PDB file of all heavy atoms in Angstrom:
ATOM      1  N   SER A   2       9.828  20.221 -83.247  1.00 58.00           N
ATOM      2  CA  SER A   2      10.442  20.923 -84.352  1.00 58.00           C
ATOM      3  C   SER A   2      11.146  22.190 -83.815  1.00 58.00           C
ATOM      4  O   SER A   2      10.842  22.656 -82.750  1.00 58.00           O
ATOM      5  CB  SER A   2       9.386  21.313 -85.374  1.00 58.00           C
ATOM      6  OG  SER A   2       8.495  22.230 -84.790  1.00 58.00           O
ATOM      7  N   ALA A  57       6.838   0.476 -69.290  1.00 98.00           N
ATOM      8  CA  ALA A  57       7.340   0.056 -70.598  1.00 98.00           C
ATOM      9  C   ALA A  57       8.306  -1.112 -70.433  1.00 98.00           C
ATOM     10  O   ALA A  57       8.401  -1.980 -71.288  1.00 98.00           O
ATOM     11  CB  ALA A  57       8.057   1.240 -71.303  1.00 98.00           C
ATOM     12  N   PHE A  73     -20.360  18.699 -65.478  1.00 96.00           N
ATOM     13  CA  PHE A  73     -20.394  19.835 -64.557  1.00 96.00           C
ATOM     14  C   PHE A  73     -21.354  19.507 -63.352  1.00 96.00           C
ATOM     15  O   PHE A  73     -21.108  19.973 -62.271  1.00 96.00           O
ATOM     16  CB  PHE A  73     -20.850  21.105 -65.260  1.00 96.00           C
ATOM     17  CG  PHE A  73     -19.798  21.778 -66.061  1.00 96.00           C
ATOM     18  CD1 PHE A  73     -20.076  22.880 -66.873  1.00 96.00           C
ATOM     19  CD2 PHE A  73     -18.473  21.335 -65.975  1.00 96.00           C
ATOM     20  CE1 PHE A  73     -19.064  23.502 -67.599  1.00 96.00           C
ATOM     21  CE2 PHE A  73     -17.448  21.972 -66.697  1.00 96.00           C
ATOM     22  CZ  PHE A  73     -17.760  23.058 -67.496  1.00 96.00           C
ATOM     23  N   ASP A  75     -21.941  16.580 -61.934  1.00 88.00           N
ATOM     24  CA  ASP A  75     -21.512  15.447 -61.081  1.00 88.00           C
ATOM     25  C   ASP A  75     -20.229  15.886 -60.357  1.00 88.00           C
ATOM     26  O   ASP A  75     -19.129  15.549 -60.758  1.00 88.00           O
ATOM     27  CB  ASP A  75     -21.253  14.254 -61.990  1.00 88.00           C
ATOM     28  CG  ASP A  75     -20.577  13.096 -61.251  1.00 88.00           C
ATOM     29  OD1 ASP A  75     -20.736  12.991 -60.011  1.00 88.00           O
ATOM     30  OD2 ASP A  75     -19.886  12.280 -61.886  1.00 88.00           O
ATOM     31  N   GLN A 160     -13.475  23.502 -62.016  1.00 98.00           N
ATOM     32  CA  GLN A 160     -13.939  22.206 -61.531  1.00 98.00           C
ATOM     33  C   GLN A 160     -12.729  21.252 -61.462  1.00 98.00           C
ATOM     34  O   GLN A 160     -12.587  20.429 -60.549  1.00 98.00           O
ATOM     35  CB  GLN A 160     -15.020  21.672 -62.392  1.00 98.00           C
ATOM     36  CG  GLN A 160     -15.568  20.332 -61.830  1.00 98.00           C
ATOM     37  CD  GLN A 160     -16.948  19.934 -62.325  1.00 98.00           C
ATOM     38  OE1 GLN A 160     -17.781  20.829 -62.503  1.00 98.00           O
ATOM     39  NE2 GLN A 160     -17.203  18.696 -62.483  1.00 98.00           N
ATOM     40  N   TYR A 242      -7.485  25.939 -75.075  1.00 98.00           N
ATOM     41  CA  TYR A 242      -7.434  25.765 -73.610  1.00 98.00           C
ATOM     42  C   TYR A 242      -6.103  25.185 -73.207  1.00 98.00           C
ATOM     43  O   TYR A 242      -5.470  25.653 -72.241  1.00 98.00           O
ATOM     44  CB  TYR A 242      -8.573  24.841 -73.224  1.00 98.00           C
ATOM     45  CG  TYR A 242      -8.642  24.477 -71.763  1.00 98.00           C
ATOM     46  CD1 TYR A 242      -9.192  25.372 -70.781  1.00 98.00           C
ATOM     47  CD2 TYR A 242      -8.137  23.264 -71.290  1.00 98.00           C
ATOM     48  CE1 TYR A 242      -9.254  25.015 -69.452  1.00 98.00           C
ATOM     49  CE2 TYR A 242      -8.208  22.921 -69.892  1.00 98.00           C
ATOM     50  CZ  TYR A 242      -8.766  23.809 -69.029  1.00 98.00           C
ATOM     51  OH  TYR A 242      -8.783  23.477 -67.698  1.00 98.00           O
ATOM     52  N   GLU A 279       1.131  18.250 -83.543  1.00 98.00           N
ATOM     53  CA  GLU A 279       2.093  19.370 -83.392  1.00 98.00           C
ATOM     54  C   GLU A 279       2.129  19.860 -81.928  1.00 98.00           C
ATOM     55  O   GLU A 279       3.235  19.998 -81.344  1.00 98.00           O
ATOM     56  CB  GLU A 279       1.732  20.515 -84.347  1.00 98.00           C
ATOM     57  CG  GLU A 279       2.449  21.851 -84.082  1.00 98.00           C
ATOM     58  CD  GLU A 279       3.980  21.815 -84.387  1.00 98.00           C
ATOM     59  OE1 GLU A 279       4.461  20.819 -84.954  1.00 98.00           O
ATOM     60  OE2 GLU A 279       4.646  22.763 -83.990  1.00 98.00           O
ATOM     61  N   GLY A 283       5.627  19.151 -78.597  1.00 98.00           N
ATOM     62  CA  GLY A 283       6.487  20.089 -77.944  1.00 98.00           C
ATOM     63  C   GLY A 283       6.379  20.140 -76.396  1.00 98.00           C
ATOM     64  O   GLY A 283       7.219  20.720 -75.753  1.00 98.00           O
ATOM     65  N   ALA A 289       0.110  10.380 -74.987  1.00 99.00           N
ATOM     66  CA  ALA A 289      -0.406   9.142 -75.567  1.00 99.00           C
ATOM     67  C   ALA A 289      -1.147   9.383 -76.834  1.00 99.00           C
ATOM     68  O   ALA A 289      -1.596  10.508 -77.080  1.00 99.00           O
ATOM     69  CB  ALA A 289      -1.306   8.416 -74.551  1.00 99.00           C
ATOM     70  N   THR A 297      -1.663   2.220 -89.681  1.00 98.00           N
ATOM     71  CA  THR A 297      -0.678   1.326 -90.319  1.00 98.00           C
ATOM     72  C   THR A 297       0.601   1.347 -89.514  1.00 98.00           C
ATOM     73  O   THR A 297       0.875   2.312 -88.777  1.00 98.00           O
ATOM     74  CB  THR A 297      -0.342   1.810 -91.726  1.00 98.00           C
ATOM     75  OG1 THR A 297       0.305   3.108 -91.593  1.00 98.00           O
ATOM     76  CG2 THR A 297      -1.565   1.945 -92.609  1.00 98.00           C
ATOM     77  N   SER A 345      11.220   1.650 -76.988  1.00 96.00           N
ATOM     78  CA  SER A 345      10.603   1.233 -75.733  1.00 96.00           C
ATOM     79  C   SER A 345       9.462   2.238 -75.452  1.00 96.00           C
ATOM     80  O   SER A 345       9.714   3.431 -75.304  1.00 96.00           O
ATOM     81  CB  SER A 345      11.619   1.251 -74.634  1.00 96.00           C
ATOM     82  OG  SER A 345      11.003   1.240 -73.369  1.00 96.00           O
ATOM     83  N   SER A 362     -33.120   0.154 -79.360  1.00 85.00           N
ATOM     84  CA  SER A 362     -33.747   1.366 -78.816  1.00 85.00           C
ATOM     85  C   SER A 362     -32.856   2.573 -78.928  1.00 85.00           C
ATOM     86  O   SER A 362     -33.218   3.689 -78.480  1.00 85.00           O
ATOM     87  CB  SER A 362     -34.129   1.135 -77.355  1.00 85.00           C
ATOM     88  OG  SER A 362     -33.005   0.816 -76.602  1.00 85.00           O
ATOM     89  N   GLU A 396     -13.194   2.992 -69.598  1.00 98.00           N
ATOM     90  CA  GLU A 396     -14.242   3.932 -69.205  1.00 98.00           C
ATOM     91  C   GLU A 396     -15.126   3.246 -68.196  1.00 98.00           C
ATOM     92  O   GLU A 396     -15.773   2.247 -68.476  1.00 98.00           O
ATOM     93  CB  GLU A 396     -15.030   4.369 -70.449  1.00 98.00           C
ATOM     94  CG  GLU A 396     -14.209   5.315 -71.279  1.00 98.00           C
ATOM     95  CD  GLU A 396     -14.907   5.916 -72.488  1.00 98.00           C
ATOM     96  OE1 GLU A 396     -15.989   5.385 -72.891  1.00 98.00           O
ATOM     97  OE2 GLU A 396     -14.371   6.854 -73.065  1.00 98.00           O
ATOM     98  N   GLY A 407     -23.928  -7.434 -69.789  1.00 93.00           N
ATOM     99  CA  GLY A 407     -23.209  -8.621 -69.324  1.00 93.00           C
ATOM    100  C   GLY A 407     -22.468  -8.395 -68.010  1.00 93.00           C
ATOM    101  O   GLY A 407     -22.802  -7.527 -67.191  1.00 93.00           O
ATOM    102  N   ARG A 419     -32.685   1.128 -67.007  1.00 91.00           N
ATOM    103  CA  ARG A 419     -32.868   1.194 -65.569  1.00 91.00           C
ATOM    104  C   ARG A 419     -32.055   2.317 -64.961  1.00 91.00           C
ATOM    105  O   ARG A 419     -32.517   3.096 -64.165  1.00 91.00           O
ATOM    106  CB  ARG A 419     -32.425  -0.172 -64.958  1.00 91.00           C
ATOM    107  CG  ARG A 419     -33.328  -0.573 -63.784  1.00 91.00           C
ATOM    108  CD  ARG A 419     -32.714  -1.824 -63.089  1.00 91.00           C
ATOM    109  NE  ARG A 419     -33.248  -3.068 -63.646  1.00 91.00           N
ATOM    110  CZ  ARG A 419     -32.630  -4.247 -63.465  1.00 91.00           C
ATOM    111  NH1 ARG A 419     -31.422  -4.302 -62.848  1.00 91.00           N
ATOM    112  NH2 ARG A 419     -33.178  -5.367 -63.901  1.00 91.00           N
ATOM    113  N   GLY A 442      -6.162  -9.469 -63.308  1.00 94.00           N
ATOM    114  CA  GLY A 442      -5.092  -9.942 -62.394  1.00 94.00           C
ATOM    115  C   GLY A 442      -4.741 -11.360 -62.723  1.00 94.00           C
ATOM    116  O   GLY A 442      -3.521 -11.725 -62.737  1.00 94.00           O
ATOM    117  N   LEU A 445      -2.559 -11.340 -65.832  1.00 92.00           N
ATOM    118  CA  LEU A 445      -1.199 -10.846 -65.537  1.00 92.00           C
ATOM    119  C   LEU A 445      -0.393 -11.908 -64.817  1.00 92.00           C
ATOM    120  O   LEU A 445       0.820 -12.046 -65.045  1.00 92.00           O
ATOM    121  CB  LEU A 445      -1.263  -9.592 -64.641  1.00 92.00           C
ATOM    122  CG  LEU A 445      -1.507  -8.290 -65.425  1.00 92.00           C
ATOM    123  CD1 LEU A 445      -1.919  -7.179 -64.437  1.00 92.00           C
ATOM    124  CD2 LEU A 445      -0.237  -7.887 -66.178  1.00 92.00           C
TER     125      LEU A 445
END
Side-chain angles (χ1 to χ4, degrees):
S2 66
F73 281 173
D75 171 26
Q160 184 159 327
Y242 177 81
E279 167 67 11
T297 65
S345 162
S362 57
E396 286 183 346
R419 217 188 267 161
L445 277 166

